[in-house]
Amino acid sequence: MTASRDIDRAVRALRRGLLVAFPTETVYGLGADARNPDALARLYSAKGRPPTHPVIVHLARPSQLSAWAAGVSAAAHAVTEAFWPGPLTVVVRRDPRVLDAVTGGEATVGLRVPDQPLALELLDAFGEGLAAPSANRFGRVSPTTAADVVAELGDVVEVVLDGGPCRVGVESTIVDCSRDGVAILRPGAISREAIEAATGVAVRTAAGDPVRAPGTLKSHYAPRATVLLVTADEIEARARDLVDAGTSVAVLALVEAFGAAIPEQFRSRGAKAKDVPSVTILDPPRDVDEYARMLYARLREVDRRGIDVLLAVPPPETGIGTAVADRLRRASGREGS
Ligand code: TXA
Ligand code: MG
C-alpha cells in the first residue's frame, strides 16, 4: 500500500463499498460510503470499533446538511455558517434515511465539512456523505500523515490519499445542537468563546452530559507508553526517579516549560532509549498551535523508540491548548473535562 493523490481511483473504490483514507485539516479520516451498510460494516471491522459508537459524516458543502439532518436549529445554523468548512462537527437530529450503522442507533448524527483541498475534491467527486472516523485502530493515536495511516491500516484500506501533514493536528470540536442549548462534547481548534460569539448562547461542556460521545471515553488517544502528566517544576525530579528505577523516559513540554535553557542532564536527544536508560527530550513545541500539530507524531515517536514513560506538561488551556490538554489527559487514562 502506497499513498497517492488519485481521486478517481478513490471514488471508484468508495462506490464499490471499499475504504479510502484521506487527509483533513485535523487528522486523517478512514472513509466509507455513509449510505452503504456493507461499507460501514467494513469500516467498523477495520477499526475494531464497537458498533454502538457513532461516526461523523463528512460533506462537500454546507448545503448538503438538510439531506442528513431532521431539523437545523438556529444554533446549528449559526455554527455551520461561521465555521464550515473547518474543524467543527455539529451533532443534530438525524434525517430518517441516515443508517443506524452511522449513528450507533442514536437519534442524532454528527456532520462536518472539512477544510482540506484534497478532502473537498474527494467529497465533491464522490457526491455523497462519507462516514469517516480517524484512521487509527480503536482507542489508539490518530494519524496526522499518510505514512501513519499506511503503517496502521495499510492492509485494510484500498486507497490512501496523501495531503501531507495535517494543519491542525487534533480532532474537530464537537458541538451538540440536537437539543436545547449548545454543548461542547469534545474540545478542538474552534474554541468555546468562538462558538459563543457565533451563536450568542452560553455553551455547556460535556461533563455529566448524557449524550454519548465515545471519543470522550477515559483512556483514548493512547500510545503504548505510560503517559504521566506533570508540571514543569516536576520534570527533573520525576525523570531522575524513573531513570534510577531503570525506566526509559521521554519529556514533552512547551519550550517555555524548560525555562531559559533545557537542563544539561536532559541533552540526551537521539540516545537509544531502549538500551540506555536516559531521558529523551522530544523536540519542544513553541506555542499551543505547534503543540497540537505535533502532539500525535510525538506520541507515535515515543512508541517507535520503545520508551516506557512519557512525562508530559500540558500547555495552558487557551485556544487549542484546551484540546491538547484534553487529549493528554485521555492519553494518560485520566478522565477528561
Ligand atoms: O476531526 C475529526 O473529527 C476527525 C476527522 C477525520 O474528521 N474525525 C474523528 O472521528 O475524530 P472519530 O470517529 O475518531 O471521532 C468522532 C467522535 C466520536 O467521539 C463520536 O462519539 C462522536 O464523534 N460522534 C459522532 N456522531 C455523534 C453523535 N451523533 N452524537 C454524539 N457524538 C457523536
Ligand atoms: Mg478517533
Side-chain angles (χ1 to χ4, degrees), residues 47 49 133-134 136 142 171 186 220-221:
K47 265 199 73 114
R49 184 177 177 129
S134 50
N136 53 279
S142 298
E171 303 82 354
R186 179 177 71 184
H220 212 91
Y221 309 100

Side-chain angles (χ1 to χ4, degrees), residues 16-34:
R16 284 163 49 217
L18 302 176
L19 306 180
V20 169
F22 62 96
T24 81
E25 76 278 39
T26 58
V27 301
Y28 274 70
L30 181 63
D33 181 351

Side-chain angles (χ1 to χ4, degrees), residues 38-298:
D38 294 338
L40 293 167
R42 190 169 278 120
L43 178 66
Y44 276 66
S45 109
K47 265 199 73 114
R49 184 177 177 129
T52 50
H53 286 200
V55 287
I56 296 168
V57 176
H58 295 65
L59 306 172
R61 57 185 64 84
S63 61
Q64 289 173 302
L65 180 62
S66 54
W68 296 83
V72 180
S73 65
H77 190 76
V79 290
T80 56
E81 180 93 343
F83 305 115
W84 279 1
L88 177 118
T89 296
V90 66
V91 172
V92 292
R93 296 190 68 75
R94 67 164 169 171
D95 179 271
R97 283 169 301 169
V98 181
L99 297 172
D100 277 343
V102 165
T103 68
E106 304 284 324
T108 56
V109 61
L111 301 166
R112 152 164 143 81
V113 178
D115 184 19
Q116 211 287 348
L118 208 54
L120 291 172
E121 216 184 307
L122 174 71
L123 288 162
D124 197 45
F126 183 56
E128 259 296 352
L130 271 188
S134 50
N136 53 279
R137 302 213 187 253
F138 185 65
R140 315 296 320 182
V141 176
S142 298
T144 50
T145 67
D148 293 342
V149 180
V150 172
E152 183 142 347
L153 291 170
D155 51 338
V156 292
V157 284
E158 189 66 11
V159 178
V160 178
L161 292 176
D162 188 353
C166 300
R167 172 169 65 76
V168 174
V170 294
E171 303 82 354
S172 60
T173 305
I174 303 181
V175 184
D176 182 12
C177 296
S178 68
R179 301 174 300 163
D180 286 346
V182 177
I184 293 180
L185 303 183
R186 179 177 71 184
I190 306 293
S191 68
R192 160 204 288 271
E193 293 74 22
I195 293 165
E196 291 185 336
T199 58
V201 169
V203 172
R204 289 177 286 125
T205 41
D209 199 300
V211 170
R212 278 181 324 142
T216 60
L217 285 177
K218 238 172 117 172
S219 185
H220 212 91
Y221 309 100
R224 280 179 188 80
T226 300
V227 177
L228 298 177
L229 304 186
V230 296
T231 65
D233 294 341
E234 290 169 340
I235 297 174
E236 200 172 324
R238 293 295 291 275
R240 208 185 309 274
D241 287 350
L242 287 161
V243 168
D244 286 349
T247 306
S248 56
V249 181
V251 176
L252 178 61
L254 282 171
V255 165
E256 66 187 40
F258 295 104
I262 294 175
E264 203 52 45
Q265 66 270 33
F266 289 158
R267 293 191 175 279
S268 53
R269 272 177 64 184
K272 277 198 283 163
K274 209 159 186 176
D275 312 326
V276 188
S278 59
V279 175
T280 303
I281 301 288
L282 300 170
D283 203 4
R286 280 160 305 201
D287 54 39
V288 288
D289 292 323
E290 196 181 358
Y291 207 146
R293 205 153 48 234
M294 61 166 41
L295 175 65
Y296 291 146
R298 295 294 170 268

